Amino acid sequence: MDEPKQLIPGLFRLRNRHGHCLRVDDMGVRGTKDENDEYTVLEFESVGKEGIAIRGKSAARHVGIDSDGNLCSYGSFINDCVFIEQSTKRSSFTSFASRYSVGFYLGLRKDGRPKPGRKTAPGQKAVAFSKIVICGRMRTN
């Protein structure tokens, strides 16, 4: 199993094209339009060569996609928590593809509920996120 290697400096929010910020708490993962919600503050950790882990700062839980495509929060890091960050050159949005559940993407529906991985695909509004820097600076690839 890969382990998080290094904390990427800074605190972030992820907001999808539907306007929902990713919210991570003890109950799971969902979206909210409240940008002042402390559970929307995220940390990123590098994993292996290309992987990234997303961790909710207030809840101290990792975001993951299980083998059935369900978006989950985990108290400890496991392989379900590894994503590949995919940026497009023609837009400022980023998608997060599950490294181990191939074809599944991190996504939030129009109403903020998690979108099942099996119903996600690149280019959907649900999976296109903008990275908002709260503290620190943006990493350049």
Side-chain angles (χ1 to χ4, degrees):
M1 174 169 74
D2 291 328
E3 291 291 329
K5 301 276 191 254
Q6 179 181 4
L7 186 64
I8 297 169
L11 299 174
F12 305 89
R13 280 193 177 90
L14 290 176
R15 181 177 34 211
N16 76 352
R17 289 180 57 197
H18 291 305
H20 289 281
C21 292
L22 189 70
R23 184 181 199 280
V24 183
D25 61 25
D26 294 339
M27 301 300 291
V29 180
R30 62 183 182 275
T32 180
K33 293 205 175 183
D34 178 6
E35 289 194 11
N36 295 318
D37 187 333
E38 67 178 304
Y39 290 99
T40 63
V41 178
L42 307 171
E43 297 175 317
F44 292 92
E45 301 165 316
S46 63
V47 181
K49 282 188 172 184
E50 298 176 341
I52 190 166
I54 302 168
R55 184 176 174 272
K57 182 164 176 57
S58 292
R61 297 181 69 84
H62 286 88
V63 176
I65 299 178
D66 68 18
S67 59
D68 294 325
N70 299 310
L71 199 53
C72 306
S73 72
Y74 296 97
S76 59
F77 178 85
I78 61 172
N79 278 343
D80 289 352
C81 301
V82 182
F83 294 92
I84 304 298
E85 188 173 356
Q86 300 175 340
S87 300
T88 59
K89 294 187 180 188
R90 64 179 198 265
S91 88
S92 60
F93 293 100
T94 302
S95 295
F96 296 90
S98 174
R99 178 186 236 167
Y100 295 102
S101 297
V102 179
F104 293 167
Y105 288 80
L106 175 66
L108 298 172
R109 296 177 180 173
K110 289 179 191 176
D111 61 4
R113 290 183 302 145
K115 186 165 187 173
R118 66 187 176 285
K119 293 186 176 185
T120 61
Q124 294 177 340
K125 286 183 179 182
V127 305
F129 289 88
S130 59
K131 206 186 281 187
I132 302 163
V133 179
I134 299 170
C135 175
R137 60 186 174 149
M138 186 72 73
R139 178 179 79 162
T140 56
N141 293 337

